[in-house]
Amino acid sequence: MSERIHVAIVGGGIGGLAAAAALIHRGISVAVYEQSTALREVGAGVFIYPNSLRQLERMGLGDGLAAVGAEVGTGSEYYRMDGSIVGKILTTDSSNWNGMYGMHRADLLAAFVGSLPSGTIHTGHRCVGLSQDAAGAHLTFENGNVASADVVIAADGINSVLQKYVVEPSAPEYAGCRAYRGLISAAMIPEWRPEAHQVWMGDGKHFMVFPVRRGELLNYVGFVPTTNATAESWSAIGDRDELAASYAGWDSRVTNLLSKVETCFWWGLYDRKPLDKWVSGRLALLGDAAHPMLPHLGQGANQAIEDGTALAVLLDDCENKRSIGAALESYESLRRPRTSMVQAEARKNGLRYDSKYTDLGQRDKEISSSSAFRKSLYDYDIEKEALALIRARGLVSSERA
Ligand SMILES: Cc1cc2nc3c(=O)[nH]c(=O)nc-3n(C[C@H](O)[C@H](O)[C@H](O)COP(=O)(O)OP(=O)(O)OC[C@H]3O[C@@H](n4cnc5c(N)ncnc54)[C@H](O)[C@@H]3O)c2cc1C
């Protein structure tokens, strides 16, 4: 990159900070603008899978994540609601690499923050507008500040304010399901297998548990159908009695854990049909702003990390500022098909987990044979794909010349 590109990222969630870390790793100048007055993530878990962990390790975050993540492996299984086993959960990619952690969201966010030069993140900056001209993209903030950059990445979540500069506004779709989730000390459930990711399925709902923070805490999530649209908010307090009642009569490992829950939160599940476009001029959408997905493959944040890596590789390749538009178009062409596929597969997996099958034998067959799909999901190497695209573009232009 001969001319120095400056990138502004709107949104300091997992997607925005992962993009910042990827860009800085490649020597690209970045400023992050976050509306909250302090960066925070909620007390809940997030899975990091091999497809994003291999990128984070290349950015130098491997040791930091290993220090706070919980290894996930032995004892990871799918069950019917009565506790009988359906099959094993794949916890490796196809090379047998167990590149997988259960993470506390705050730990993941802190790892990103620690990798950024001080002064990169500007909190208390709620973006309210964007304009573009030949000189750059210009952001305005509610606090009266303004900022300019060569590229703006909208990482401002499912209710993105910048999305309308790319596509017609549309509301996210409610999935008719509420996720009750929380953390519980692993010491309170001594019988729990320390590395186990476990999923129970049946009766229109499912329940899952996995370890976070070196295995000191267990993250649980109960997915319960509801006709009342629930806010998409990590901080809404859920009703623990309602949660326990939803799983009454299920496997005693589930009911025992729920009997020890003191507080839980809830979150309404939303996604969107794939957007027609992700890029307009100097503006690119990323993460939930581009492709909110149901959490039934645990890939929303992982796909956002792939997005950030792709942008960093493609912007790093820009020979001059005039080629920024082409780099962003390449980003969209690389990322939209992949995330659209993952969005659709997450919906399908939700039907399996929630047992929306007349023939549960068919559900069990699909769950037991899901390893092939999981392997392809985890084997994907976005850095390699982005570099291949750059090479292919080079070949095309030299053939044309
Ligand atoms: C129950 C549940 C479980 C999940 N589990 C997993 C999992 O295991 N693995 C996984 O990969 N994904 C998981 N996900 C999905 C994952 O949480 C999201 O995909 C991911 O957090 C999206 O990150 P983001 O940065 O794009 O958006 P967000 O996390 O929503 O961050 C957006 C940020 O932008 C800020 N912002 C918004 N508007 C503005 C503005 N105007 N100006 C400035 N800042 C602004 C917000 O304050 C926020 O900090 C799960 C989701 C749910 C609901």
Side-chain angles (χ1 to χ4, degrees), residues 178-182 205-207 220-224 238-248 254 257-258 261 263-266:
R178 176 183 286 172
Y180 291 82
R181 46 100 205 151
K205 50 199 161 207
H206 68 283
F207 189 81
Y220 62 86
V221 195
F223 295 88
V224 177
D239 181 333
R240 61 172 287 280
D241 295 333
E242 208 173 275
L243 168 61
S246 301
Y247 294 93
V254 174
L257 185 149
L258 290 179
V261 166
T263 324
C264 67
F265 296 84
W266 65 27

Side-chain angles (χ1 to χ4, degrees), residues 10-16 33-36 41 45-47 49 105 125-128 155-158 161 179 181 210 221 223 234 267 269 286-289 293 295 298-304:
V10 176
I14 292 171
Y33 298 95
E34 163 59 39
Q35 64 181 357
S36 305
E41 260 293 352
V46 59
F47 246 117
Y49 285 109
R105 283 173 178 265
H125 279 68
R126 182 197 296 271
C127 178
V128 290
D156 52 347
I158 191 168
V161 294
R181 46 100 205 151
F210 61 86
V221 195
F223 295 88
W234 285 109
W267 171 281
L269 295 194
L286 173 145
D288 278 11
M293 53 185 70
Q299 279 286 327
N302 286 274
Q303 291 302 311

Side-chain angles (χ1 to χ4, degrees), residues 56-393:
L56 299 175
E57 290 193 343
R58 287 176 191 154
M59 292 175 212
L61 293 173
D63 289 346
L65 296 180
V68 290
E71 286 176 19
V72 178
T74 316
S76 296
E77 288 166 338
Y78 297 106
Y79 306 103
R80 298 179 191 87
M81 55 194 279
D82 64 4
S84 55
I85 291 191
V86 175
K88 291 209 172 306
I89 298 181
L90 183 80
T91 56
T92 64
D93 67 3
S94 56
S95 74
N96 224 20
W97 177 48
N98 175 225
M100 194 174 290
Y101 292 120
M103 303 279 310
H104 192 299
R105 283 173 178 265
D107 294 343
L108 181 58
L109 213 66
F112 287 131
V113 172
S115 75
L116 303 178
S118 65
T120 303
I121 301 170
H122 305 268
T123 52
H125 279 68
R126 182 197 296 271
C127 178
V128 290
L130 170 97
S131 63
Q132 303 193 38
D133 57 29
H138 314 287
L139 294 166
T140 49
F141 299 96
E142 201 176 56
N143 62 11
N145 287 352
V146 292
S148 292
D150 300 303
V151 175
V152 170
I153 299 176
D156 52 347
I158 191 168
N159 296 309
S160 166
V161 294
L162 292 179
Q163 195 189 67
K164 64 173 179 287
Y165 295 97
V166 179
V167 286
E168 286 293 310
S170 66
E173 288 179 33
Y174 185 52
C177 177
R178 176 183 286 172
Y180 291 82
R181 46 100 205 151
L183 298 169
I184 190 163
S185 164
M188 288 175 74
I189 325 272
E191 66 276 19
W192 213 270
R193 296 186 226 167
E195 290 185 17
H197 173 205
Q198 295 173 298
V199 180
W200 286 261
M201 308 171 292
D203 202 18
K205 50 199 161 207
H206 68 283
F207 189 81
M208 77 164 60
V209 184
F210 61 86
V212 303
R213 194 170 280 166
R214 298 175 289 270
E216 292 159 18
L217 297 168
L218 297 176
N219 176 71
Y220 62 86
V221 195
F223 295 88
V224 177
T226 166
T227 45
N228 304 334
T230 305
E232 184 261 351
S233 157
W234 285 109
S235 52
I237 302 283
D239 181 333
R240 61 172 287 280
D241 295 333
E242 208 173 275
L243 168 61
S246 301
Y247 294 93
W250 283 47
D251 184 7
S252 60
R253 286 171 290 188
V254 174
T255 54
N256 181 36
L257 185 149
L258 290 179
S259 71
K260 297 182 180 167
V261 166
E262 283 170 8
T263 324
C264 67
F265 296 84
W266 65 27
W267 171 281
L269 295 194
Y270 293 80
D271 71 354
R272 261 181 214 282
K273 296 222 168 54
L275 300 178
D276 293 337
K277 240 171 121 212
W278 284 20
V279 166
S280 174
R282 299 171 179 276
L283 172 66
L285 307 178
L286 173 145
D288 278 11
H291 49 70
M293 53 185 70
L294 298 180
H296 307 313
L297 287 173
Q299 279 286 327
N302 286 274
Q303 291 302 311
I305 293 167
E306 286 190 8
D307 292 344
T309 309
L311 270 172
V313 173
L314 293 163
L315 289 174
D316 191 22
D317 180 59
C318 284
E319 278 168 23
N320 54 50
K321 291 185 178 184
R322 282 188 304 282
S323 50
I324 286 173
L328 296 186
E329 294 297 336
S330 299
Y331 161 72
E332 178 182 317
S333 71
L334 190 57
R335 297 302 301 151
R336 210 151 51 87
R338 162 104 171 142
T339 55
S340 303
M341 179 278 288
V342 180
Q343 276 178 310
E345 291 296 328
R347 278 193 180 201
K348 278 197 221 158
N349 214 38
L351 300 180
R352 291 182 195 114
Y353 283 179
D354 289 337
S355 308
K356 292 193 173 148
Y357 279 60
T358 41
D359 173 7
L360 287 183
Q362 177 61 24
R363 175 205 66 185
D364 292 355
K365 220 157 84 190
E366 290 179 14
I367 288 284
S368 311
S369 60
S370 58
S371 291
F373 169 71
R374 293 263 180 185
K375 278 183 191 163
S376 70
L377 192 56
Y378 300 159
D379 288 352
Y380 189 86
D381 185 338
I382 182 60
E383 184 185 60
K384 213 163 118 191
E385 297 294 331
L387 290 170
L389 183 65
I390 289 167
R391 275 196 301 276
R393 281 194 326 207

